[in-house]
Amino acid sequence: MATGILGGTFNPVHMGHLRVAEEIREAFDLETVYFIPAFIPPHKDAGEASPPEERLRMLRAATRGSGFFKVSDLEIKRGGISYTIDTLKRFKLRFDDLYFIIGADAFRLIGTWHRYEELFSHAHFIVMTRPAFGTVDIPDMLPARVRGKLAPFNDAERKGVYIHESGKKIYLYRVTQLDISSTKVRNLLSEGRSVRYLVPPPVERIIIQRRLYRS
Ligand code: ATP
Ligand code: MG
């Protein structure tokens, strides 16, 4: 069965993450989606993120009760800067049909990722649309070195599918456009404002109890 991976900082996890993961799970018939919080995200100011244990705790609370979502502490346990290439290689040892799920905002920057060219040999990619990041075609979002290794793939059910020379595919998938981000949640909290209905109730409780994201 197919397995999904959703990497991120999850600082904190919000309804946007959960809903798009659910839509993709259903559309691609994924048996499990692993949410994997980064220990140190390579592209973010590490000082800004809540401690990894808090982000993990909120993710566990958010996904409890779902039969399809799991949380992996692989990157947190590994420590150091969290590189997706290392994570995909580890997951490949256990799962043979891997789908890496990523928002268009992050995908457009993939040319800056560690050993990015190799990523496309280890997993299929599902690129999710995201508000404010006008999505173009998959090849237009990629550096020339990857673009040259792609060909359009004729999929009976889907449009906008490409195949990499490794045989792995890249899908563009239109999810419900939820203009929610962790940045927005953090900003509201730092102003003392409500984040109810932007994050799941157990996450809101943890944020309040542990006084996270207060300025
Ligand atoms: P921040 O504002 O701190 O960057 P974020 O909301 O973007 O937080 P991340 O942890 O950076 O959350 O996101 C993890 C992954 O989920 C990324 O691939 C991102 O593009 C995707 N993602 C997050 N929120 C949404 C959303 N509302 N719709 C679609 N994709 C999303
Ligand atoms: Mg982000």
Side-chain angles (χ1 to χ4, degrees):
M1 271 294 264
T3 305
I5 294 182
L6 179 58
T9 314
F10 301 108
N11 185 37
V13 59
H14 53 69
M15 296 306 261
H17 294 126
L18 295 163
R19 178 61 206 173
V20 296
E22 179 72 359
E23 290 181 9
I24 295 218
R25 172 196 76 70
E26 207 170 31
F28 288 81
D29 205 13
L30 306 178
E31 187 179 29
T32 310
V33 175
Y34 284 90
F35 288 66
I36 312 186
F39 182 67
I40 299 176
H43 297 290
K44 286 185 186 168
D45 180 1
E48 206 183 282
S50 276
E53 308 74 46
E54 301 285 10
R55 292 183 283 116
L56 191 63
R57 175 180 284 122
M58 290 187 280
L59 261 174
R60 288 194 167 130
T63 53
R64 196 164 291 138
S66 158
F68 301 104
F69 292 170
K70 288 189 180 153
V71 180
S72 164
D73 61 2
L74 175 76
E75 293 190 349
I76 287 178
K77 279 205 177 135
R78 191 165 64 216
I81 299 177
S82 304
Y83 293 120
T84 296
I85 185 72
D86 301 329
T87 303
L88 289 184
K89 284 183 156 180
R90 275 293 296 278
F91 265 74
K92 248 181 80 173
L93 302 174
R94 270 177 70 197
F95 307 99
D96 51 1
D97 200 18
L98 279 184
Y99 289 75
F100 189 74
I101 306 165
I102 180 170
D105 59 308
F107 188 72
R108 291 159 74 140
L109 300 174
I110 210 150
T112 65
W113 289 24
H114 186 54
R115 289 160 61 188
Y116 68 89
E117 285 180 80
E118 281 176 55
L119 294 169
F120 300 95
S121 306
H122 293 294
H124 304 289
F125 271 66
I126 303 172
V127 182
M128 313 179 278
T129 52
R130 195 165 181 190
F133 294 93
T135 353
V136 275
D137 223 16
I138 293 286
D140 296 339
M141 289 189 263
L142 285 168
R145 292 166 76 159
V146 181
R147 206 186 304 137
K149 295 178 178 167
L150 296 186
F153 182 78
N154 265 335
D155 188 305
E157 289 163 49
R158 304 177 196 283
K159 283 193 222 158
V161 184
Y162 286 81
I163 185 159
H164 184 260
E165 63 175 19
S166 67
K168 300 291 183 199
K169 291 173 193 141
I170 309 181
Y171 300 85
L172 180 64
Y173 191 75
R174 295 189 187 283
V175 289
T176 299
Q177 297 296 276
L178 296 163
D179 194 6
I180 306 174
S181 66
S182 302
T183 302
K184 183 182 269 185
V185 172
R186 290 194 304 274
N187 288 343
L188 287 169
L189 288 163
S190 74
E191 293 165 14
R193 292 172 63 191
S194 165
V195 294
R196 184 161 296 181
Y197 313 124
L198 292 176
V199 300
V203 172
E204 188 194 7
R205 279 196 290 277
I206 293 172
I207 289 172
I208 291 169
Q209 274 166 11
R210 306 182 75 83
R211 303 171 155 266
L212 303 177
Y213 309 111
R214 295 238 188 134
S215 51

